[in-house]
Structure formats: structure tokens, C-alpha cells
């Protein structure tokens, strides 16, 4: 048997009218003798047969049969065509059809020899030189076997070099069987892997006159054709691992980040619930995070320095008051208040929402190391308070979220979610990045990507306002000036919110004009409530527009209302920090300016009536 390695062999048999019936039977036997010497199979040698005269007929392709019995049965059923001798056409068919991967030929990179055995008894009636050259250049090794009346020049034009090893002329059909034994030796040759130092790291595969190297499963052959490297099974991105993919010996396994465990599907990860261990000692609530846990107090309570116990402050902080904007404690009770220009709703808690103004809003939040995990949770609550103010829908307000530290990550684009509940859920699932503070890089990402139509921003021709809100707690580690300027030049209304060690100069550089209406600051993360309302008043056009009802400030009802509001604000003043006092002073000044303007309008109306 010929066991020097797999081959793809196609017999190209002349069945023109010059081949007499008994001679064609000898050709059948020649093919079966050759096949009988081969180790055939899907992973061994594959065999195909075509016959030709004035046309070409495929008897069976390289992928049709994998046993000698099936091949012999098909060869015995061949009916000769008995027409002309179009050898060039047959070679063209072998190159373009028979030796394609669709018909069962192995890919060229596997280096499995492609061998065509042409058996003819006459002179071709078409040109063979050019098409045979193309076939040889395509990697097909051609053996030309002429019988009796065959033209030697044509055989030499068809065959592969060296010609003395690929051109054979047999004097008669009767001698072809004896020639077949010699041809078998020529085709099979010696085991080249045994005859020379092949240098293959894993396996050597012998072929007629040569050899090639193969690697074990899970490895790929290197460019040197001899050594092997492990296949990175993670590289194609189809592993489905939620966190990390670890490649090993052609396979892979999924691994979770610290603070998570691998689920039963061996792909997805779930955060470890450290609070469930029962040793947290939190007085109110325990909150699990990937790095451990922290304690959180219920609304109206303050976490104490021990990080576990909670203490109530005023009544507003001791009950679940539900006030949307502000809770004002009074003796033995409390009531809710809304900012000027907004009405308290019938439930006594909610304020009018930003409904008619549709915007594309992208919030860019600082996830640097200085924020700390517990404060990052407060930042997410701050974001959701803003979302609560908006009427979110595909045709209304759209919201996107970007987090940055030393790099920038889009948490979700403008076209990802279409309801406030979906957005708030996604916000609470955002993971804290930590590391540096590259605010300039985040602004660049926002301008180039977040407000692109690809990520859901509506075309500028629709005149939908584009609003960017940047939230940071410290100095940027890169330059912000260029991309802050580009953002505003591209039509984005920029708001800057700073907390703690945020730099006022940078906040002002980010904010749109007038700057005073577009930047806000809070001393720490627990006093950010008023920042939400500042933002609402500036993005909700209906909060400051509409018909004005002029009332005399001297009317008893107006005086009582003003006195009540002022007393309530003063009562809550002792619980706030110095920045809240500044905000109150500005608010009272604005109130006085509005009352003065209303008096002037009232005087004008009275003068007109006179």
C-alpha cells in the first residue's frame, strides 16, 4: 500500500471515439489498480474521476466516495462518450472545478498534493500548453500517460517538471497494467519523513518526493513551517465570557473579576454578596460592592464615624418624606417645597417636571480613584435624580451616560434605552472604574462619539438641543480647554458640576455662557440635592416661560406666603453648609429682582388703564 501521506488525485480519462471498447476496459482496470494501492479515506487520499471527449463529464468528485468498493463500482458504470479529443478543455475543468474545495479538495495551506493523472491515446484537438501551465501554477502536479497513438509533444506540454518523472508513453493498451505497477512506485515514492531530518516539532506528513509538518490539536504551525504555537481560543471573540477569557492548549475557560464568581453556565459572572455573610454589623443597610461592602443609613439618618451606626437628624431626615425637591422641618411636622417657578403637585410632594422640552442629554461622570466607592453610589443616585426630572422617550428626551478615569467608557449611548426606569436600572448597574482623572479625554469622547447620530443623537437639522453635563471631583490630569471649546462650538450646551476638590477654573472653562447658569459646586457628595434643581431650571424652558400673573406684593396673601417661605428657609438654614447659605442669598436676591420687575409691570398696566 501507498502510505506516504494523503493526496488529492483526479483521473482525467480520454474516452474519445478512437478508444475501442476493450481498450477502455483496460483503462478501467488501470484506474482500479492504482486506487487499490492507495490508502483512501476522508483524512487520507481522496480520489475523483472525470472523462472527456468533445465535452467533459464528472464521474465522481473528491468528496463523493471514501472507500475503494464505492469507487470501483462507479468506475465500472462509466459509459464512454466516444466523440472528439478536447484534452485542454478537460484540464481546464480539472483546474476550475475538480480541484476546488467545494468539490472536496483540501485547502492549499494544508500542503496536501493535488495530482492529475491524464490518460490519452491521441493528439488533442484543442490547445493544451497554456491551460496546463495555468494548472501547474495553481499547484496541480500533472502526470501525462500516453497510450499507443498519443502525441509525445502534447504529453510533454501537459506534464509537470521534471518531465522524465511525469511523462510516460505506453506502446499498447495491453501493456498499461504492467506500467501501472511502475507508476504506483513513482506515485508513492519513499517515506520522506523517514529518509531525512524533517525538524517538525509535532508531526511529519510524507508526500511524494517531499513532506510537510503538522501540529497537534490546539496548536497552529508557525511561519517557519516546523514549529508550533498554542492557538489563542479567546482571540476570535466568540467565547461568550462576561469578564475574562483564559486560553489554554487550543481551548479556553472563563474567569471572573475580583469580587465575582462564575455561574453554572461557565460564562457569566455574579457579584459576591458580602453582606450575606452576616458579619457586616451595619445598623441599617449593608451594600455589597466588588471589593467588599459598606454600610448605608436609611433616608433621614447620618452614618457615624465608625462606619456602621446611624443617627437621625431633623424630622425630614427621620422619616421617608418623599419630597421631590426639599423637605422643611417644622415643630412636630414637616412640609415639602418646590423651587420658585414650580408648583407643588396634589400629592404634596412632587414638583412640575420638565415635559415639553425635548433634549439629547449626555452625562459624563468622574469615576476616578478620589471619588471612592460609597460616593460613586451617591453620584449614581444624583444621575437618577436628574433622570426623574425628564420625560424620557424615543421622540422626547434621550439620555446617554459616559464614565471616565484614566480612560473613557460609554456606559450606554443615547439610543440604548427609551424609558426612565430602564435608564435608572442601567445607572445602578454601572461599575466604578477608579484610577486617574482624564477630563479632557472624556470631553473629546463626548464630542466625537456620544453626540454622533450613530449613537442616537438626532440630526442638527431637527433642532433638538444637545446638552452635556460633566460631573467631576478634582483637577483634570490632561488639558480640557481645546475640547471644552470644541464642544460648545459644535452646538452642545455644557453644564459643569463640581464636588469636593473640583477646580472652579476648570468648571468655568467647561460651562457654556452665561457661566453662572451653567456651573454648580457642592462641598461634598451628601449635599448635592440643590444641584439637581439648578440643572432642572436651566434645561426646562417651560419652567421660566409663559404668561405672568401680576399680583400686588402688598396684598395680604402675598405677604403671608413670602413670610412663610422665608421662615421655612431660615429654619432649615442651620442644617446646611456655607454654600447653601450662598445659594439662599442669591435666590433671595433673584426673588427681590423679580418682585421689582413685577411692580414695574404693574405700574405700567395701571398707567395704561388711566
Amino acid at each position: 500500500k501507498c502510505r506516504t501521506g494523503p493526496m488529492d488525485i483526479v483521473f482525467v480519462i480520454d474516452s474519445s471515439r478512437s478508444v475501442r471498447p476493450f481498450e477502455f476496459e483496460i483503462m478501467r482496470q488501470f484506474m482500479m489498480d492504482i486506487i487499490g494501492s492507495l490508502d483512501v479515506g476522508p483524512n487520507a487520499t481522496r480520489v475523483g474521476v472525470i472523462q472527456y471527449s468533445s465535452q467533459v463529464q464528472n464521474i465522481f468528485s473528491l468528496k463523493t466516495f471514501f472507500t475503494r468498493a464505492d469507487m470501483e463500482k462507479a468506475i465500472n458504470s462509466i459509459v464512454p462518450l466516444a466523440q472528439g479529443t478536447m484534452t485542454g478543455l478537460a484540464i481546464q475543468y480539472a483546474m476550475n472545478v475538480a480541484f476546488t474545495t467545494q468539490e472536496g479538495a483540501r485547502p492549499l495551506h494544508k500542503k496536501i498534493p493535488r495530482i492529475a493523472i491524464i490518460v490519452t491515446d491521441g493528439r488533442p484537438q484543442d490547445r493544451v500548453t497554456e491551460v496546463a501551465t495555468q494548472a501547474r501554477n495553481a499547484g496541480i502536479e500533472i502526470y501525462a500517460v500516453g497510450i499507443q497513438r498519443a502525441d509525445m509533444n502534447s504529453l510533454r506540454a501537459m506534464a509537470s517538471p521534471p518531465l522524465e518523472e511525469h511523462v510516460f508513453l505506453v506502446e499498447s493498451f495491453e501493456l498499461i497494467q504492467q506500467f501501472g505497477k511502475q507508476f504506483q512506485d513513482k506515485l508513492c515514492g519513499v517515506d520522506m519523513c523517514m529518509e531525512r531530518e524533517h525538524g517538525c516539532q509535532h508531526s511529519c506528513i510524507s508526500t511524494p518526493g517531499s513532506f510537510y509538518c503538522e501540529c497537534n490539536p490546539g496548536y497552529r504551525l508557525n511561519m517557519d513551517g516546523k514549529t508550533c504555537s498554542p492557538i489563542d481560543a479567546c482571540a476570535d471573540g466568540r467565547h461568550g465570557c462576561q469578564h475574562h477569557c483564559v486560553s489554554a492548549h487550543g481551548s479556553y475557560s472563563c474567569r471572573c473579576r475580583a469580587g465575582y464568581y462564575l455561574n453554572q453556565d461557565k460564562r457569566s459572572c455574579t457579584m459576591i454578596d458580602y453582606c450575606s455573610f452576616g458579619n457586616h454589623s451595619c445598623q441599617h443597610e449593608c451594600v455589597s460592592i466588588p471589593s467588599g461592602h459598606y454600610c448605608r443609613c436609611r433616608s433621614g439618618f447620618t452614618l457615624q464615624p465608625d462606619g456602621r451606626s446611624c443617627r437621625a437628624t431633623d424630622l425630614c431626615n427621620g422619616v421617608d418624606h418623599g419630597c421631590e425637591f426639599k423637605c422643611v422641618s417644622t415643630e412636630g411636622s414637616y412640609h415639602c417645597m418646590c423651587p420658585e417657578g414650580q408648583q407643588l403637585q396634589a400629592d404634596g410632594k412632587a414638583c412640575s417636571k420638565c415635559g415639553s422640552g425635548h433634549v439629547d442629554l449626555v452625562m459624563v461622570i468622574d469615576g476616578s480613584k478620589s471619588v471612592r466607592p460609597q460616593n460613586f453610589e451617591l453620584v449614581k443616585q444624583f444621575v437618577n435624580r436628574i433622570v426623574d426630572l425628564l420625560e424620557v422617550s424615543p421622540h422626547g428626551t434621550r439620555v446617554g451616560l459616559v464614565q471616565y478615569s484614566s480612560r473613557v467608557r460609554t456606559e450606554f449611548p443615547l439610543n440604548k434605552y427609551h424609558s426612565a426606569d430602564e435608564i435608572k436600572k442601567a445607572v445602578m448597574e454601572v461599575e466604578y472604574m477608579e484610577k486617574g482623572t482624564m477630563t479632557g479625554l472624556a470631553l473629546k469622547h463626548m464630542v466625537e462619539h456620544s453626540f454622533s447620530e450613530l449613537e442616537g443623537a438626532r440630526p442638527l437639522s431637527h433642532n433638538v438641543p444637545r446638552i452635556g453635563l460633566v460631573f467631576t471631583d478634582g483637577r483634570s490630569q490632561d488639558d480640557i480647554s481645546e475640547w471644552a471649546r470644541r464642544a460648545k462650538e459644535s452646538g452642545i450646551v455644557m453644564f459643569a458640576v463640581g464636588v469636593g476638590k473640583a477646580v472652579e477654573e476648570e468648571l468655568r472653562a467647561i460651562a457654556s455662557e452665561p457661566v453662572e447658569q451653567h456651573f454648580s459646586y457642592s462641598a461634598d457628595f451628601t449635599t448635592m440635592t440643590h444641584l439637581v434643581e439648578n440643572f432642572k431650571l436651566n434645561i426646562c424652558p417651560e419652567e421660566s416661560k409663559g404668561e405672568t400673573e401680576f399680583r400686588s406684593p402688598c396684598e395680604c396673601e402675598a405677604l403671608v406666603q413670602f413670610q412663610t417661605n422665608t421662615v421655612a428657609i431660615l429654619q432649615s438654614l442651620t442644617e446646611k453648609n456655607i454654600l447653601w447659605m450662598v445659594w439662599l442669598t442669591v435666590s433671595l436676591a433673584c426673588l427681590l429682582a423679580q418682585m421689582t420687575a413685577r411692580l414695574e409691570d404693574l405700574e405700567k398696566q395701571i398707567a395704561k388703564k388711566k
Side-chain angles (χ1 to χ4, degrees), residues 106-122:
R106 266 74 63 97
L108 287 171
H109 68 83
K110 289 185 175 293
K111 298 184 179 180
I112 294 176
R114 295 181 173 184
I115 298 173
I117 302 174
I118 303 172
V119 183
T120 179
D121 80 325

Side-chain angles (χ1 to χ4, degrees), residues 346-407:
D347 62 2
K349 297 181 179 181
C351 302
S352 55
K353 287 195 173 184
C354 180
S356 63
H358 297 161
V359 300
D360 286 342
L361 169 63
V362 174
M363 289 179 274
V364 182
I365 60 174
D366 186 347
S368 61
K369 182 169 58 177
S370 61
V371 174
R372 300 184 182 277
Q374 60 268 31
N375 289 333
F376 191 72
E377 295 300 314
L378 295 177
V379 173
K380 294 196 287 187
Q381 294 174 21
F382 171 82
V383 170
N384 281 346
R385 289 289 300 275
I386 292 176
V387 174
D388 283 335
L389 300 175
L390 308 172
E391 293 293 339
V392 178
S393 69
H395 302 293
T397 291
R398 299 180 182 179
V399 179
L401 183 64
V402 173
Q403 184 186 174
Y404 74 96
S405 58
S406 299
R407 55 189 179 88

Side-chain angles (χ1 to χ4, degrees), residues 204-234:
C204 175
I205 307 298
S206 183
T207 61
S210 185
F211 68 91
Y212 64 92
C213 299
E214 270 192 357
C215 296
N216 296 336
Y219 291 82
R220 64 163 57 91
L221 196 64
N222 294 327
M223 295 294 292
D224 62 7
K226 297 179 182 291
T227 60
C228 302
S229 297
I231 295 173
D232 185 357
C234 298

Side-chain angles (χ1 to χ4, degrees), residues 324-326 336-344 349-352 389 529-530 532-537 543 565 569 580 583 587 594:
E324 180 180 331
F325 173 64
K326 182 181 178 184
C336 299
M337 287 185 62
C338 292
E340 182 185 4
Q342 298 184 47
Q343 296 292 322
L344 194 65
K349 297 181 179 181
C351 302
S352 55
L389 300 175
T529 305
H530 67 284
V532 176
E533 282 306 321
N534 287 352
F535 183 67
K536 176 182 178 182
L537 289 171
E543 302 296 348
N565 290 346
I569 292 172
W580 181 250
W583 179 84
S587 298
Q594 290 174 355

Side-chain angles (χ1 to χ4, degrees), residues 60 297-298 326 340 358 564:
F60 59 86
C297 296
R298 292 192 294 269
K326 182 181 178 184
E340 182 185 4
H358 297 161
T564 302

